[in-house]
Amino acid sequence: MLERTLKVLEYGKVKAQLAKHAASSLGKEKIEKLTPTTSFEDAVKWQEMTDEATNVLRLKGNIPLGGIYDISAFAKRAKIGSTLSPHELLNISSTIYATRQVKKFIEDLLEAELSIPFLEGFAVELIVLLDLERKINFCIGDHGEVLDGASEKLKTLRQQMKTFESRAREKLENMVKSSTTQKMLSDAIITIRNDRYVIPVKQEYRSAFGGTVHDQSASGATLFIEPQSVVELNNQLHEAKLKEHIEIERILMELSKEVAVEADPIIQNVGLLAEIDFMFAKGAYSQKIKGSKPIMNNKGYIKLVKARHPLIANDVVVPNDVELGKDFTSIVITGPNTGGKTVTLKLVGLFTLMAQSGLQLPALDGSEMGVFQSVYADIGDEQSIEQSLSTFSSHMVNIVEILKNVDSKSLVLFDELGAGTDPQEGAALAISILDEVYKRGARVIATTHYPELKAYGYNREGVSNASVEFDVETLSPTYRLLIGVPGRSNAFEISKRLGLHQDVIENARLHVSSETNQVENMIASLEDNRRMAEQQMEEAKAFRKEAEETRQDLQKQVNEFNEKRDKMYVKAERKAAESIEKAKQEAEEIIAHLRGLQKLQHSAIKDHELIEARKRLEGAAPQLVKKKKVTKQSTAYSNKLEPGDEVQILTLNQKGHLIEKVSSHDWQVQIGIMKMKVNEKNIEYVSRAKPVETKPLATVRGLDSHVKLELDLRGERFEDALMKVEKYIDDALLAGYPRVSIIHGKGTGALRIGVQEYVKNHRSVKKARYGEASEGGTGVTIIELK
């Protein structure tokens, strides 16, 4: 790409924005060197890498790229035998740690089954140098100091230094605090000169102190003297410091040798970290500009959907659709100044450079970009005083250079083509240049003021007119690009809005040719038709979106219904299986019980025992509940249900008795020991008790009473059985029976225990017991009535 093209299209400003998202100097350096590729394969690969980084940032939020430094130069120096400084070693340790963190981050992504082929490849090549990191951290502190524990010798030397320092300061403090000495000192302090401990002595008392003078004040009134009593201690301290320096140099040299051993892996890691930082800088920039991945092609086809210029603020920029390279390869944009023609021109050029640099575009999904070998741009007034070139001449110099190299793999951008000279000659020249570039097969976008070029798109195959919309009501451009519609001058409309008299405007129209008026009217009609079509399209999109949302909602409801139905089927099957299994166990128990009776009694089983066992077998069989259809009999009674009727509650699959009607459609129903309100549509008539003839009380209490001395509950449901027991006790009391029997059988014991508990708590029962062996045993309960 030409350097001039990159500058004119403001490619450097995009790179400056991109650099803000790099985490290290490595990433910034790669961004600085970034240029658009002309390889289709590389452009596709770079876009996929950026998209991968964008997806990771969207899902994980960030990547640990902190603490990365460009340490390749340090590694190379260590490799040739140089000794590295503590801070250089510390940067190496920090970068090794960052390498380890990045590799772990990528491995965690792989465990989460994210598709990250590029990062996976980087992770395989990243080498973790944990031993070297630990050795450096063991010897070098966080602030670049060599730690005492780096070696035993260094630790001993530093302990000796502390001892010498302490003793020297102690002696000097005694001197400073002495009343005799204090009057000789300029200040009662201990200080350091030439790396030795000294005290400030007044000039006149110099002879009172032995030792060495190391410095004096600016006025000469104060001498910094090292007293003779601390000279030996200072010497010992100085000697220890020299030994410390030698030991530190030895430690740094050893660490540098360790770095030299791993120099190649370090340099390799730095290169990989630079690529990762570069890749994620692109991803973060895409998030910043709300970019999307364009579909790349090598056919010179451009399709931008709601494209926004990345260097214009979001609250100002107007999204535009642009298409070039399929139905037409040239676009001629006409219209007034400050309408946005040049911005559109730069937008297409800059998007091409960004796409071929692996950057996502601030446009909607579905945008496509071609890969061009060259992008040429003749934009702006580049009049040169030094070269004595006019505006027209400077443009022609650029155009001549472009025409020397343009071919079918080029994108050419002309701004104000043919401007700066006679309008007729300029227009003719512009048409000729466009024809030439079109013949070469290049993709072209040109802006112009010349009205002659408005007809250019209609007379040339593969060429389309375009304009930037202008609102005559507000006297300002809307910056919306209209493909297929040439621009109008709008001079008469603007003048009218600004207050120019109508007579003057009408007189001006007389000087315009009829052909020009026809063209202007045609353009106005095209703009109106386009505006109407866009409005209808937006309405159609809204209807389609609403229909799609309705379809999705219905589909969701159907899926939920099917899922719920399947769960109910599974639950019903499981319940049926449990019932069958329970029935089998019950049958096995009954058979075992019968065999036990045979063995114990050595005789035929009694009839009542067989009846009881048979009822238990029948009760063990699982009941398959089926929804009953309303019979003719129930239909006949449905409109004249009466209290006391036995009914089936369809929603509960339970039987009960009607108590009373509580509303026009609701009945109170007794179901076992419960009473509940049920809607009439959920009630199915079963039977109605026959009227009982009323007999004199004497007859009721006589031996001819219809009440039996025993109540057989075998085979009854628990709730129904308790209702029958309650009614039977009342009937027995009326009949005057002192004692009655309730046959409930042995079974599982539920009915037996339930009856026992009920009768024991009944107000009219005096005593309750199980029957004797001759009376039926525990299968019968004998109750005595009050």
Side-chain angles (χ1 to χ4, degrees), residues 276-426:
I276 294 172
D277 189 13
F278 182 42
M279 173 177 167
F280 276 90
K282 290 180 179 180
Y285 180 60
S286 176
Q287 288 188 325
K288 174 71 174 178
I289 63 175
K290 298 179 181 178
S292 65
K293 175 187 172 186
I295 301 168
M296 304 303 295
N297 66 79
N298 56 2
K299 299 178 181 179
Y301 175 55
I302 297 174
K303 179 186 177 183
L304 301 178
V305 183
K306 301 299 180 187
R308 295 167 281 108
H309 199 291
L311 301 179
I312 301 178
N314 287 331
D315 57 344
V316 177
V317 68
V318 176
N320 271 309
D321 296 340
V322 182
E323 188 168 2
L324 176 68
K326 185 172 285 187
D327 297 331
F328 45 85
T329 59
S330 300
I331 297 176
V332 178
I333 307 175
T334 55
N337 281 330
T338 68
K341 299 193 303 297
T342 304
V343 171
T344 302
L345 210 62
K346 287 186 174 183
L347 171 74
V348 176
L350 184 57
F351 270 39
T352 300
L353 300 180
M354 289 174 65
Q356 292 180 213
S357 301
L359 299 176
Q360 295 191 348
L361 308 178
L364 298 185
D365 290 335
S367 297
E368 297 188 40
M369 292 300 300
V371 176
F372 297 95
Q373 295 297 313
S374 304
V375 177
Y376 300 105
D378 178 53
I379 300 175
D381 184 0
E382 297 189 8
Q383 183 172 217
S384 174
I385 297 175
E386 292 82 2
Q387 299 177 9
S388 300
L389 296 176
S390 67
T391 301
F392 175 76
S393 298
S394 65
H395 278 295
M396 286 311 301
V397 169
N398 294 331
I399 292 171
V400 168
E401 193 65 31
I402 290 172
L403 291 178
K404 287 180 182 178
N405 302 291
V406 70
D407 57 19
S408 60
K409 295 182 179 178
S410 301
L411 172 65
V412 185
L413 307 171
F414 291 125
D415 188 28
E416 298 298 344
L417 184 59
T421 187
D422 179 77
Q424 288 187 345
E425 292 181 357

Side-chain angles (χ1 to χ4, degrees), residues 11 26 184 196 204 233 237-238 293 321 328 382 407 481 507 522 545 550 622 650 743:
Y11 180 70
L26 299 173
M184 303 178 187
R196 302 176 77 86
E204 58 268 28
L233 289 173
L237 177 61
H238 183 66
K293 175 187 172 186
D321 296 340
F328 45 85
E382 297 189 8
D407 57 19
L481 183 68
N507 187 37
M522 177 191 70
K545 183 179 180 181
T550 303
L650 300 178
I743 304 171

Side-chain angles (χ1 to χ4, degrees), residues 98-116:
T99 303
R100 191 155 49 87
Q101 293 297 104
V102 169
K103 184 160 186 171
K104 184 179 182 302
F105 177 81
I106 297 172
E107 288 171 349
D108 291 343
L109 294 178
L110 292 171
E111 287 182 7
E113 299 183 353
L114 263 67
S115 176
I116 47 171

Side-chain angles (χ1 to χ4, degrees), residues 36-159:
T37 180
T38 56
S39 166
F40 174 71
E41 291 74 17
D42 285 347
V44 171
K45 177 185 174 183
W46 291 1
Q47 284 292 341
E48 288 175 350
M49 290 178 71
T50 304
D51 195 52
E52 183 174 309
T54 304
N55 289 335
V56 171
L57 290 174
R58 177 172 52 83
L59 295 172
K60 295 298 180 180
N62 56 19
I63 179 172
L65 288 171
I68 296 174
Y69 299 93
D70 187 2
I71 57 172
S72 46
F74 306 156
K76 290 175 183 177
R77 281 176 45 219
K79 197 173 181 180
I80 61 174
S82 296
T83 300
L84 302 179
S85 69
H87 284 287
E88 289 172 341
L89 290 167
L90 198 61
N91 287 349
I92 290 173
S93 170
S94 175
T95 305
I96 293 173
Y97 174 77
T99 303
R100 191 155 49 87
Q101 293 297 104
V102 169
K103 184 160 186 171
K104 184 179 182 302
F105 177 81
I106 297 172
E107 288 171 349
D108 291 343
L109 294 178
L110 292 171
E111 287 182 7
E113 299 183 353
L114 263 67
S115 176
I116 47 171
F118 294 105
L119 288 176
E120 184 176 2
F122 290 144
V124 171
E125 296 184 45
L126 284 172
I127 300 171
V128 175
L129 304 172
L130 186 58
D131 289 341
L132 178 58
E133 180 190 349
R134 286 174 175 170
K135 287 179 181 177
I136 294 174
N137 291 341
F138 182 76
C139 297
I140 310 297
D142 293 339
H143 302 290
E145 73 279 9
V146 180
L147 300 174
D148 294 353
S151 73
E152 284 296 326
K153 185 175 182 180
L154 182 63
K155 185 177 182 180
T156 301
L157 286 170
R158 287 183 172 172
Q159 287 176 347

Side-chain angles (χ1 to χ4, degrees), residues 545-768:
K545 183 179 180 181
E546 185 178 353
E548 181 64 22
E549 290 175 352
T550 303
R551 186 191 69 80
Q552 291 177 358
D553 186 48
L554 290 173
Q555 185 63 43
K556 181 181 178 182
Q557 292 182 21
V558 169
N559 292 339
E560 290 176 352
F561 170 78
N562 291 335
E563 184 179 351
K564 188 175 181 181
R565 180 196 61 190
D566 293 342
K567 287 181 179 179
M568 291 177 69
Y569 281 154
V570 171
K571 185 177 180 181
E573 289 174 357
R574 184 169 61 248
K575 191 173 182 180
E578 291 173 355
S579 299
I580 292 171
E581 184 64 27
K582 183 177 179 182
K584 289 180 180 179
Q585 293 176 0
E586 184 86 7
E588 291 295 333
E589 291 175 4
I590 294 168
I591 292 171
H593 179 66
L594 291 174
R595 288 175 178 168
L597 289 175
Q598 283 183 328
K599 290 179 181 179
L600 289 173
Q601 298 180 6
H602 303 289
S603 62
I605 300 171
K606 295 180 181 180
D607 289 344
H608 77 275
E609 291 174 336
L610 285 172
I611 292 170
E612 183 180 341
R614 182 178 179 184
K615 286 195 174 184
R616 285 182 65 194
L617 278 171
E618 291 175 352
Q623 300 293 322
L624 297 177
V625 179
K626 295 182 179 180
K627 188 174 179 180
K628 295 183 179 180
K629 294 183 179 180
V630 180
T631 60
K632 290 183 179 179
Q633 183 184 19
S634 65
T635 303
Y637 282 89
S638 61
N639 294 327
K640 47 183 179 179
L641 294 171
E642 295 179 1
D645 288 351
E646 185 178 10
V647 294
Q648 180 81 9
I649 310 303
L650 300 178
T651 53
L652 301 177
N653 195 28
Q654 295 284 339
K655 289 184 178 180
H657 291 83
L658 298 179
I659 299 176
E660 62 177 341
K661 197 166 188 178
V662 294
S663 68
S664 59
H665 298 288
D666 295 323
W667 284 83
Q668 189 176 34
V669 184
Q670 179 82 37
I671 305 173
I673 60 174
M674 295 188 303
K675 293 180 181 179
M676 62 186 300
K677 186 170 71 172
V678 182
N679 192 282
E680 202 171 68
K681 67 179 182 181
N682 295 323
I683 296 174
E684 183 180 284
Y685 172 82
V686 176
S687 64
R688 179 173 295 164
K690 294 180 180 180
V692 180
E693 294 181 5
T694 305
K695 295 184 179 181
L697 184 60
T699 307
V700 171
R701 293 181 178 273
L703 295 175
D704 293 331
S705 171
H706 67 284
V707 182
K708 296 182 179 180
L709 290 172
E710 64 182 16
L711 173 63
D712 193 349
L713 299 176
R714 288 174 294 186
E716 294 288 339
R717 297 173 67 89
F718 183 81
E719 291 83 3
D720 296 337
L722 293 183
M723 290 180 64
K724 290 188 176 182
V725 168
E726 182 180 18
K727 186 175 184 303
Y728 177 69
I729 292 174
D730 291 338
D731 293 341
L733 285 170
L734 291 173
Y737 296 151
R739 185 176 68 178
V740 292
S741 301
I742 300 176
I743 304 171
H744 43 62
K746 298 175 183 178
T748 60
L751 183 60
R752 169 169 52 86
I753 295 171
V755 169
Q756 277 278 322
E757 290 180 353
Y758 180 80
V759 298
K760 284 180 179 178
N761 296 321
H762 198 282
R763 62 185 181 280
S764 302
V765 175
K766 183 191 300 182
K767 183 179 180 183

